[in-house]
Amino acid sequence: SDDMIMGGCCRKVHKSIVIPINAYLPAEIDPNYTINQHWNFIRRQMFVCDTYNNPYDRAQNHFLAVLPACSFVFLGCFSFHMVALLAALSALQTL
């Protein structure tokens, strides 16, 4: 959330953001990390990002929240249809 808030502030004053490659810090995920913990983290991030101070940043946040959700729904439905089609073709081959 901090990087998106900072990006919004920089965009307002027409500044670029440059991140040197040595500034990327890989994070290790705890093997005991649960889906509930991740959902809690995502909810808190979305709350913080939704407090942006202008409509453009708020809309960008909503877009970035909706895009993955729609992608997962579409891919889930698409993969279900592909599995059903493959099952039907397999059943036809056995006839």
Side-chain angles (χ1 to χ4, degrees), residues 53-81:
N53 58 357
N54 68 40
Y56 179 85
D57 291 339
R58 198 171 296 111
Q60 180 183 11
N61 177 51
H62 290 166
F63 173 75
L64 292 173
V66 169
L67 182 66
C70 291
S71 299
F72 288 132
V73 168
F74 173 75
L75 292 175
C77 293
F78 179 72
S79 63
F80 173 75
H81 286 94

Side-chain angles (χ1 to χ4, degrees), residues 25 39 55 78 84 86 90:
L25 303 172
W39 180 246
F78 179 72
L86 291 174
S90 177

